[in-house]
Amino acid sequence: MNDNRPIGVFDSGLGGLTVAKEIFRLMPNERIIYLGDTARVPYGGKSEETIRRFGLQDAKVLMDKDVKMLIVACNTVSSVAMDYLQTHIKDIPVIGVVLPGARAAVLRSAEKRVGVIGTAATVRSGSYARAINNIDPGIKVYCKPCPLFVPLVEEGLIENEITQMVVRHYLYEMVDLGIDCMILGCTHYPILMEVIQSTVGNRIQLVDSALWTAKEAQNILQAMKMTTGDDVNGLQSSKFLVSDITPNFETVAETLLGVHLPGIEKVSVEELEEKQP
Protein backbone atom coordinates (compact mmCIF):
# COMPACT_ATOMS: atom_id res chain seq x y z
CA MET A 1 0.00 0.00 0.00
CA ASN A 2 1.34 3.42 -1.00
CA ASP A 3 0.91 6.81 0.63
CA ASN A 4 1.39 9.60 -1.90
CA ARG A 5 1.18 12.44 0.59
CA PRO A 6 4.29 14.62 0.75
CA ILE A 7 7.00 14.63 3.40
CA GLY A 8 7.18 17.88 5.39
CA VAL A 9 10.68 19.25 5.98
CA PHE A 10 11.49 22.48 7.79
CA ASP A 11 14.54 24.46 8.82
CA SER A 12 15.22 27.93 10.17
CA GLY A 13 16.65 28.75 6.75
CA LEU A 14 17.89 26.90 3.70
CA GLY A 15 20.36 24.47 5.29
CA GLY A 16 17.69 21.79 5.51
CA LEU A 17 17.78 21.57 1.72
CA THR A 18 20.76 19.25 2.23
CA VAL A 19 18.32 16.84 3.91
CA ALA A 20 15.89 17.29 1.00
CA LYS A 21 18.74 16.54 -1.41
CA GLU A 22 19.45 13.22 0.32
CA ILE A 23 15.75 12.33 0.39
CA PHE A 24 15.48 12.87 -3.37
CA ARG A 25 18.65 10.78 -3.87
CA LEU A 26 17.42 7.87 -1.73
CA MET A 27 13.70 8.13 -2.57
CA PRO A 28 13.30 9.91 -5.94
CA ASN A 29 9.54 9.34 -5.98
CA GLU A 30 8.87 11.15 -2.72
CA ARG A 31 7.39 14.64 -2.83
CA ILE A 32 8.52 17.21 -0.28
CA ILE A 33 6.98 20.37 1.08
CA TYR A 34 9.90 22.35 2.42
CA LEU A 35 9.61 25.36 4.71
CA GLY A 36 12.59 27.63 5.30
CA ASP A 37 11.99 30.42 7.82
CA THR A 38 14.42 32.73 6.02
CA ALA A 39 12.89 35.89 7.53
CA ARG A 40 13.78 34.84 11.08
CA VAL A 41 16.99 32.89 10.47
CA PRO A 42 19.21 32.10 12.34
CA TYR A 43 17.55 30.34 15.26
CA GLY A 44 20.90 29.41 16.80
CA GLY A 45 21.31 32.55 18.91
CA LYS A 46 17.72 32.73 20.16
CA SER A 47 16.31 31.62 23.52
CA GLU A 48 14.98 28.09 24.00
CA GLU A 49 11.45 29.45 24.44
CA THR A 50 11.64 31.27 21.09
CA ILE A 51 13.15 28.25 19.34
CA ARG A 52 10.32 26.04 20.60
CA ARG A 53 7.69 28.57 19.53
CA PHE A 54 9.17 29.07 16.06
CA GLY A 55 9.61 25.32 15.60
CA LEU A 56 5.97 24.57 16.40
CA GLN A 57 4.78 27.37 14.10
CA ASP A 58 6.84 25.90 11.24
CA ALA A 59 5.55 22.42 11.97
CA LYS A 60 1.91 23.53 12.00
CA VAL A 61 2.23 25.22 8.61
CA LEU A 62 3.37 21.90 7.17
CA MET A 63 0.73 19.91 9.07
CA ASP A 64 -1.90 22.05 7.35
CA LYS A 65 -0.52 20.75 4.02
CA ASP A 66 -1.42 17.14 4.98
CA VAL A 67 2.12 15.78 5.17
CA LYS A 68 2.69 12.12 6.11
CA MET A 69 5.92 12.68 8.02
CA LEU A 70 7.61 15.69 9.57
CA ILE A 71 11.39 16.08 9.43
CA VAL A 72 12.92 18.74 11.65
CA ALA A 73 15.91 19.48 9.40
CA CYS A 74 17.24 22.09 11.79
CA ASN A 75 19.86 21.04 14.32
CA THR A 76 18.91 23.91 16.61
CA VAL A 77 15.23 22.95 16.80
CA SER A 78 16.12 19.24 16.94
CA SER A 79 18.45 19.94 19.85
CA VAL A 80 16.09 22.14 21.86
CA ALA A 81 12.50 21.33 20.94
CA MET A 82 12.00 17.72 19.76
CA ASP A 83 10.16 16.57 22.90
CA TYR A 84 8.04 19.71 22.76
CA LEU A 85 7.09 19.11 19.11
CA GLN A 86 6.34 15.44 19.66
CA THR A 87 3.91 16.27 22.47
CA HIS A 88 1.96 18.51 20.05
CA ILE A 89 2.15 16.28 16.96
CA LYS A 90 1.01 12.69 17.42
CA ASP A 91 -0.69 11.73 14.15
CA ILE A 92 2.43 11.29 12.00
CA PRO A 93 6.10 10.35 12.54
CA VAL A 94 8.30 13.29 13.63
CA ILE A 95 12.06 12.91 13.35
CA GLY A 96 14.98 15.27 13.85
CA VAL A 97 18.60 15.31 12.75
CA VAL A 98 20.34 14.74 16.09
CA LEU A 99 19.59 11.08 16.85
CA PRO A 100 20.39 9.72 13.35
CA GLY A 101 23.74 11.53 13.37
CA ALA A 102 24.51 10.33 16.90
CA ARG A 103 23.80 6.70 16.00
CA ALA A 104 26.04 6.89 12.93
CA ALA A 105 28.90 8.40 14.96
CA VAL A 106 28.71 5.71 17.65
CA LEU A 107 29.05 3.00 14.99
CA ARG A 108 32.07 4.71 13.43
CA SER A 109 34.16 5.73 16.43
CA ALA A 110 36.67 2.99 17.22
CA GLU A 111 38.59 5.26 19.61
CA LYS A 112 35.37 6.38 21.38
CA ARG A 113 36.26 10.06 20.92
CA VAL A 114 33.66 11.97 18.91
CA GLY A 115 33.65 15.63 17.93
CA VAL A 116 30.50 17.65 17.24
CA ILE A 117 30.41 20.99 15.43
CA GLY A 118 27.27 23.11 15.18
CA THR A 119 25.57 26.37 16.03
CA ALA A 120 25.95 27.96 19.46
CA ALA A 121 22.44 26.79 20.47
CA THR A 122 23.06 23.21 19.32
CA VAL A 123 26.34 23.00 21.24
CA ARG A 124 24.89 24.75 24.29
CA SER A 125 21.98 22.29 24.45
CA GLY A 126 24.29 19.27 24.81
CA SER A 127 21.84 17.25 22.70
CA TYR A 128 24.43 15.33 20.69
CA ALA A 129 26.45 14.40 23.78
CA ARG A 130 23.30 13.13 25.52
CA ALA A 131 22.19 11.15 22.48
CA ILE A 132 25.63 9.59 22.00
CA ASN A 133 26.10 8.75 25.70
CA ASN A 134 22.62 7.25 25.92
CA ILE A 135 23.79 4.77 23.29
CA ASP A 136 27.35 4.32 24.59
CA PRO A 137 28.26 6.00 27.90
CA GLY A 138 31.95 5.22 27.29
CA ILE A 139 32.30 7.67 24.40
CA LYS A 140 33.91 11.04 25.10
CA VAL A 141 32.17 13.86 23.20
CA TYR A 142 33.83 17.18 22.39
CA CYS A 143 31.63 19.98 21.07
CA LYS A 144 32.65 23.14 19.24
CA PRO A 145 30.41 26.00 18.04
CA CYS A 146 31.33 27.22 14.55
CA PRO A 147 29.04 30.24 14.06
CA LEU A 148 30.80 31.59 10.94
CA PHE A 149 30.22 28.47 8.84
CA VAL A 150 26.59 29.26 7.98
CA PRO A 151 27.19 32.82 6.69
CA LEU A 152 30.17 31.56 4.66
CA VAL A 153 27.94 28.98 2.95
CA GLU A 154 25.16 31.50 2.38
CA GLU A 155 27.66 33.92 0.81
CA GLY A 156 28.80 31.16 -1.54
CA LEU A 157 32.33 31.17 -0.10
CA ILE A 158 32.77 27.40 -0.28
CA GLU A 159 36.39 26.93 -1.37
CA ASN A 160 37.55 30.43 -0.58
CA GLU A 161 40.79 31.18 1.25
CA ILE A 162 38.78 32.95 3.96
CA THR A 163 36.72 29.79 4.50
CA GLN A 164 39.86 27.67 4.78
CA MET A 165 41.26 30.05 7.43
CA VAL A 166 38.00 29.97 9.43
CA VAL A 167 37.80 26.17 9.26
CA ARG A 168 41.39 25.87 10.49
CA HIS A 169 40.68 28.36 13.28
CA TYR A 170 37.75 26.31 14.58
CA LEU A 171 38.90 22.76 13.95
CA TYR A 172 42.60 22.45 14.68
CA GLU A 173 41.72 22.27 18.37
CA MET A 174 39.35 19.37 17.65
CA VAL A 175 42.10 17.48 15.80
CA ASP A 176 44.44 17.93 18.77
CA LEU A 177 41.84 16.28 21.03
CA GLY A 178 42.38 12.97 19.23
CA ILE A 179 38.85 12.47 17.89
CA ASP A 180 38.34 9.86 15.17
CA CYS A 181 34.83 10.91 14.13
CA MET A 182 33.17 14.31 13.72
CA ILE A 183 29.45 15.03 13.38
CA LEU A 184 28.53 17.90 11.08
CA GLY A 185 25.84 19.14 13.45
CA CYS A 186 24.31 21.76 11.18
CA THR A 187 22.62 21.10 7.86
CA HIS A 188 24.67 23.83 6.14
CA TYR A 189 27.93 22.11 6.97
CA PRO A 190 27.87 19.27 4.37
CA ILE A 191 28.48 21.96 1.73
CA LEU A 192 31.85 22.53 3.44
CA MET A 193 32.60 18.79 3.60
CA GLU A 194 35.65 18.90 1.34
CA VAL A 195 37.39 21.82 3.05
CA ILE A 196 36.59 20.36 6.49
CA GLN A 197 37.93 16.92 5.51
CA SER A 198 41.12 18.39 4.03
CA THR A 199 41.63 20.39 7.25
CA VAL A 200 41.12 17.55 9.76
CA GLY A 201 42.66 14.80 7.61
CA ASN A 202 41.34 11.44 6.46
CA ARG A 203 41.88 9.77 9.84
CA ILE A 204 38.77 11.57 11.12
CA GLN A 205 35.50 10.32 9.62
CA LEU A 206 32.86 12.98 8.98
CA VAL A 207 29.23 12.15 9.77
CA ASP A 208 26.69 14.04 7.68
CA SER A 209 23.54 14.27 9.81
CA ALA A 210 21.52 15.19 6.68
CA LEU A 211 22.34 11.87 5.02
CA TRP A 212 21.55 9.76 8.08
CA THR A 213 18.29 11.62 8.71
CA ALA A 214 17.16 10.85 5.16
CA LYS A 215 18.08 7.18 5.70
CA GLU A 216 16.03 7.10 8.91
CA ALA A 217 13.06 8.65 7.08
CA GLN A 218 13.38 5.99 4.38
CA ASN A 219 13.48 3.17 6.95
CA ILE A 220 10.38 4.47 8.76
CA LEU A 221 8.33 4.98 5.60
CA GLN A 222 9.22 1.51 4.31
CA ALA A 223 8.45 -0.13 7.66
CA MET A 224 5.09 1.64 7.87
CA LYS A 225 4.32 0.97 4.17
CA MET A 226 3.94 4.72 3.57
CA THR A 227 6.22 5.15 0.56
CA THR A 228 5.00 6.91 -2.59
CA GLY A 229 4.12 4.97 -5.74
CA ASP A 230 6.61 4.63 -8.60
CA ASP A 231 4.75 6.95 -10.99
CA VAL A 232 5.63 10.20 -9.16
CA ASN A 233 8.52 12.57 -9.96
CA GLY A 234 9.31 13.72 -6.45
CA LEU A 235 11.46 16.78 -7.10
CA GLN A 236 9.36 18.31 -9.86
CA SER A 237 6.13 17.97 -7.87
CA SER A 238 7.61 19.29 -4.62
CA LYS A 239 6.98 22.73 -3.12
CA PHE A 240 9.40 25.06 -1.39
CA LEU A 241 8.03 27.67 1.02
CA VAL A 242 10.11 30.52 2.45
CA SER A 243 9.23 33.41 4.73
CA ASP A 244 11.54 35.82 2.89
CA ILE A 245 13.10 35.75 -0.57
CA THR A 246 16.53 37.28 -0.09
CA PRO A 247 18.65 38.64 -2.98
CA ASN A 248 20.95 35.59 -3.09
CA PHE A 249 18.17 33.12 -2.25
CA GLU A 250 18.22 31.10 -5.49
CA THR A 251 22.02 30.89 -5.59
CA VAL A 252 22.22 29.58 -2.02
CA ALA A 253 19.27 27.23 -2.54
CA GLU A 254 20.79 25.68 -5.65
CA THR A 255 24.14 25.29 -3.88
CA LEU A 256 22.45 23.37 -1.06
CA LEU A 257 19.99 21.31 -3.11
CA GLY A 258 22.30 20.76 -6.08
CA VAL A 259 19.61 21.56 -8.67
CA HIS A 260 17.27 24.39 -9.62
CA LEU A 261 14.51 24.91 -7.06
CA PRO A 262 10.99 24.39 -8.49
CA GLY A 263 7.70 25.55 -6.95
CA ILE A 264 8.86 28.45 -4.75
CA GLU A 265 6.15 30.12 -2.64
CA LYS A 266 6.32 32.79 0.04
CA VAL A 267 4.75 32.40 3.48
CA SER A 268 4.57 35.59 5.52
CA VAL A 269 5.86 35.82 9.09
CA GLU A 270 2.30 36.82 10.06
CA GLU A 271 1.03 33.48 8.71
CA LEU A 272 3.65 31.65 10.76
CA GLU A 273 2.79 33.56 13.92
CA GLU A 274 -0.87 32.63 13.56
CA LYS A 275 0.13 29.01 14.26
CA GLN A 276 0.32 29.30 18.03
CA PRO A 277 0.03 26.34 20.42
Side-chain angles (χ1 to χ4, degrees):
M1 182 177 177
N2 296 126
D3 186 338
N4 290 350
R5 291 180 296 167
I7 299 169
V9 181
F10 80 82
D11 187 13
S12 57
L14 300 178
L17 289 173
T18 56
V19 177
K21 178 181 180 179
E22 296 298 338
I23 291 172
F24 290 134
R25 187 176 65 81
L26 293 173
M27 300 178 285
N29 298 318
E30 295 296 339
R31 291 186 300 132
I32 287 175
I33 299 181
Y34 180 91
L35 171 61
D37 189 8
T38 47
R40 302 187 297 190
V41 70
Y43 287 4
K46 293 179 169 59
S47 69
E48 292 191 5
E49 180 185 358
T50 298
I51 293 166
R52 285 193 292 269
R53 187 173 78 252
F54 285 4
L56 186 57
Q57 290 170 357
D58 297 337
K60 287 191 170 185
V61 167
L62 293 174
M63 293 290 291
D64 288 347
K65 307 292 184 184
D66 191 28
V67 296
K68 63 183 175 184
M69 167 184 274
L70 189 66
I71 299 178
V72 183
C74 174
N75 276 271
T76 301
V77 178
S78 293
S79 296
V80 171
M82 280 303 296
D83 290 344
Y84 180 74
L85 292 179
Q86 288 168 339
T87 60
H88 286 82
I89 301 168
K90 300 184 182 296
D91 297 333
I92 59 172
V94 181
I95 65 173
V97 290
V98 171
L99 192 54
R103 288 195 193 107
V106 169
L107 291 173
R108 280 156 182 75
S109 181
E111 301 294 328
K112 294 186 179 293
R113 299 174 74 88
V114 174
V116 179
I117 56 175
T119 67
T122 296
V123 169
R124 189 170 59 243
S125 74
S127 58
Y128 274 102
R130 282 195 303 275
I132 290 168
N133 289 145
N134 283 340
I135 301 168
D136 185 342
I139 292 180
K140 292 187 180 295
V141 184
Y142 304 92
C143 300
K144 178 80 174 179
C146 301
L148 290 177
F149 282 7
V150 169
L152 286 169
V153 170
E154 301 225 337
E155 287 297 324
L157 301 174
I158 309 304
E159 296 179 355
N160 189 279
E161 184 178 346
I162 296 172
T163 303
Q164 293 170 353
M165 291 173 60
V166 170
V167 171
R168 287 197 296 270
H169 169 73
Y170 285 137
L171 299 187
Y172 273 175
E173 177 188 353
M174 299 288 278
V175 176
D176 291 342
L177 290 169
I179 63 171
D180 65 352
C181 183
M182 180 186 291
I183 298 174
L184 306 182
C186 173
T187 45
H188 277 75
Y189 293 3
I191 302 302
L192 300 174
M193 178 89 74
E194 289 188 14
V195 66
I196 291 173
Q197 190 75 77
S198 66
T199 300
V200 303
N202 291 330
R203 189 186 68 80
I204 297 176
Q205 293 190 63
L206 301 184
V207 172
D208 177 358
S209 55
L211 167 63
W212 293 100
T213 301
K215 285 183 179 291
E216 177 150 322
Q218 181 183 38
N219 291 339
I220 291 171
L221 292 176
Q222 288 175 344
M224 298 179 70
K225 302 189 185 320
M226 293 172 65
T227 55
T228 293
D230 294 337
D231 56 343
V232 178
N233 182 326
L235 175 60
Q236 293 306 315
S237 53
S238 293
K239 291 183 179 179
F240 298 86
L241 314 177
V242 290
S243 53
D244 187 32
I245 299 179
T246 54
N248 64 341
F249 165 79
E250 289 198 24
T251 302
V252 175
E254 289 182 22
T255 297
L256 293 165
L257 189 61
V259 296
H260 175 71
L261 209 65
I264 302 168
E265 299 178 13
K266 186 174 178 182
V267 177
S268 70
V269 172
E270 289 74 21
E271 290 177 76
L272 292 173
E273 291 177 346
E274 287 174 1
K275 306 296 181 181
Q276 295 296 339

